[in-house]
Amino acid sequence: MRKTKRFTFQNVFPPSLKPLLTRPRPFRAYSFVPFSPFAMLDPTILTLGGIILGIALIERILERWGVIDLVDQFAKVMRFILPVTFYSTLIYFFATFMF
C-alpha cells in the first residue's frame, strides 16, 4: 500500500502578506506663498523706485518754481513711463523671486 502524503492549507497557500510596518518618511513641506518683506529690498527694485521718486520730486520742485510748461511735459512722459515701469518691475520681481 502506498503512503499518502498530506498537505496542509498553510503549506499550499502562503499566508497573506502582512503590510510591513514602515516609519513615515520625513518630508519637506514648501509653502506656495513664502512672502517676506525683506524680498522687496532687491537693489533693482529699490533703484527703479528711487528714480521714480526722484522724478516726482523734480516735478514738484519745477511746479513750485513756476515752470509749468516743463512740468506739463514731465506729466505727459510720466503718464506712459510710470505704468510701464510698475508692471515691468512687478514681472521682474515675480520672475526672480525664489518660490
Side-chain angles (χ1 to χ4, degrees):
M1 197 174 195
R2 254 171 136 179
K3 192 171 183 182
T4 307
K5 215 173 189 183
R6 295 178 72 182
F7 293 106
T8 61
F9 183 77
Q10 285 82 11
N11 288 342
V12 175
F13 296 105
S16 64
L17 295 174
K18 295 178 183 176
L20 298 173
L21 295 176
T22 58
R23 294 182 196 154
R25 293 183 183 176
F27 63 96
R28 294 181 180 171
Y30 295 101
S31 172
F32 287 107
V33 187
F35 185 75
S36 169
F38 294 113
M40 296 299 286
L41 295 178
D42 185 24
T44 306
I45 293 175
L46 289 176
T47 303
L48 289 172
I51 290 171
I52 301 258
L53 287 176
I55 291 173
L57 186 65
I58 290 171
E59 188 177 351
R60 287 289 179 172
I61 291 171
L62 289 174
E63 186 179 356
R64 284 190 182 187
W65 286 353
V67 190
I68 302 299
D69 294 335
L70 197 55
V71 172
D72 189 39
Q73 289 180 358
F74 262 104
K76 286 179 184 177
V77 171
M78 294 305 286
R79 197 175 297 144
F80 173 74
I81 290 178
L82 281 176
V84 170
T85 307
F86 171 74
Y87 288 117
S88 61
T89 305
L90 193 66
I91 290 169
Y92 169 79
F93 175 72
F94 284 115
T96 59
F97 189 60
M98 299 302 293
F99 284 104

